[in-house]
Amino acid sequence: LNLPWTSDSRFVEVIVNGKFMGNYLLTEQIKIDKNRVNIDEIDNKETDPTKISGGWLMEVDRYYSNGETRYFRPAISQIPIIVKDPEDANTEQMNYIANYFNTFEKMIFPSLPQGVAYHKSTEHLGGTPDSTQYGKYIDINSFVNYWIVQEITENRDSRLPGSVYMHKGVNQKLVMGPLWDFDLTTFLGSRSWLHYNYVPSELEYNTLEYRAVYYNQLFKDAKFKAKVKERWNAIYSSLLNDIPKFIDKEYNTIKKSLDLNWIDVGETDNQGIWALSDEDKSS
């Protein structure tokens, strides 16, 4: 979907001392780099208001308090945002990025009274956002493309919330991505939306059990919804034709090691390298 950058990956077979140890996915890590998240880095001693407007690489993750030292929670959404870069951001930098989020969140939730938490009981107070206002702060196209990926793959990690990355360059808008963490909670299948109309319950809001990133409000904006429809119509043919071909190609590449993953390693008759039963494998 032409997001600014998505990490590349390869399936690899691991062999130690001649023994096959399984098939793994080797992937690039997310970091600021001209060939990855292509924004300028800033020093953690920088305080110039213009310069500290960029160099931001952030992750929304509910495990923010497990050893992280730089994080904040915007006043309305209260989503936990971990600052990955600038590393060890100083007070001025942290104040800047927190204020940036608080400012555009007021435009995402234009009618929500100050100090009122946003959950199912108060959703009706959120109002209808206007892209001519919040679009000054966020890259709308990246939010559209990111949403399509998450809904198609049913990546439930993105609503924990977890592994939701955002970045921002100097004097640039906030961009969704890069994409990350598509594993155990992906492609499980669902007949309901993951983000489109999700609003946390009061319990989920207070305990941070689940939380989505703005999409319920964004889809109340007719202009945002129109952009999503336009984008969907533009890519639908490719999704329908190219992705199944890619899946078949990947399968043919790894099908031999796929079989080897389940060979008996002497544990029991129904265990292979991954110690899964036949029932586990079939599910």
Side-chain angles (χ1 to χ4, degrees):
L1 272 73
N2 294 320
L3 283 159
W5 175 77
T6 302
S7 57
D8 199 1
S9 59
R10 296 286 188 276
F11 284 109
V12 297
E13 294 173 336
V14 176
I15 299 172
V16 179
N17 295 330
K19 182 178 180 180
F20 178 77
M21 302 301 292
N23 187 290
Y24 299 80
L25 188 67
L26 180 68
T27 184
E28 294 176 298
Q29 291 290 321
I30 292 175
K31 68 176 183 178
I32 295 177
D33 182 88
K34 66 179 181 179
N35 296 314
R36 299 191 189 187
V37 180
N38 189 17
I39 57 176
D40 291 332
E41 292 186 87
I42 56 174
D43 189 273
N44 60 11
K45 296 181 176 61
E46 184 62 68
T47 57
D48 183 292
T50 301
K51 293 180 180 178
I52 65 175
S53 68
W56 294 98
L57 176 61
M58 297 161 285
E59 179 186 9
V60 182
D61 196 300
R62 64 175 176 172
Y63 298 115
Y64 67 101
S65 59
N66 292 353
E68 299 290 346
T69 60
R70 297 293 186 273
Y71 57 84
F72 63 96
R73 299 181 68 177
I76 297 176
S77 70
Q78 284 290 301
I79 56 175
I81 301 175
I82 301 169
V83 174
K84 299 292 188 178
D85 277 296
E87 189 175 357
D88 296 325
N90 62 43
T91 301
E92 287 83 355
Q93 292 170 343
M94 292 299 295
N95 287 341
Y96 167 83
I97 197 62
N99 289 335
Y100 190 94
F101 270 79
N102 285 329
T103 300
F104 85 73
E105 279 199 355
K106 290 178 182 177
M107 299 175 186
I108 300 291
F109 306 89
S111 302
L112 192 70
Q114 186 174 356
V116 173
Y118 180 79
H119 45 68
K120 286 182 179 178
S121 300
T122 59
E123 178 193 358
H124 64 286
L125 300 174
T128 302
D130 183 347
S131 61
T132 61
Q133 298 301 313
Y134 67 77
K136 298 173 184 177
Y137 289 84
I138 68 173
D139 182 285
I140 294 176
N141 289 332
S142 72
F143 274 74
V144 169
N145 288 322
Y146 190 91
W147 175 81
I148 290 175
V149 172
Q150 301 293 0
E151 292 289 2
I152 288 178
T153 60
E154 185 71 12
N155 180 19
R156 300 179 193 182
D157 273 4
S158 64
R159 206 178 73 184
L160 288 175
S163 302
V164 175
Y165 278 84
M166 306 176 184
H167 62 277
K168 184 182 182 304
V170 175
N171 292 325
Q172 294 179 6
K173 300 176 182 180
L174 183 72
V175 178
M176 283 298 292
L179 295 163
W180 189 247
D181 202 1
F182 292 75
D183 48 26
L184 293 177
T185 63
T186 308
F187 293 118
L188 297 180
S190 174
R191 293 184 179 273
S192 62
W193 295 104
L194 187 65
H195 291 283
Y196 169 69
N197 56 2
Y198 176 78
V199 181
S201 67
E202 185 172 359
L203 177 63
E204 290 169 343
Y205 180 90
N206 290 328
T207 62
L208 197 58
E209 182 64 25
Y210 296 105
R211 195 70 53 84
V213 183
Y214 307 125
Y215 284 108
N216 179 69
Q217 282 295 111
L218 291 174
F219 273 102
K220 292 180 181 179
D221 177 14
K223 293 188 287 293
F224 182 85
K225 185 177 288 189
K227 267 188 170 293
V228 174
K229 289 183 177 179
E230 180 183 9
R231 183 65 173 138
W232 176 257
N233 289 330
I235 64 172
Y236 179 74
S237 178
S238 294
L239 293 176
L240 191 64
N241 298 302
D242 296 343
I243 290 180
K245 291 177 183 177
F246 173 78
I247 292 173
D248 289 340
K249 178 177 177 292
E250 292 292 280
Y251 170 74
N252 287 325
T253 299
I254 67 170
K255 62 182 179 181
K256 183 175 181 180
S257 58
L258 175 65
D259 291 336
L260 291 173
N261 272 339
W262 314 122
I263 61 173
D264 177 30
V265 292
E267 297 284 338
T268 66
D269 289 340
N270 64 353
Q271 288 186 327
I273 286 173
W274 298 112
L276 297 177
S277 68
D278 290 336
E279 182 181 356
D280 291 329
K281 287 182 279 186
S282 65
S283 63

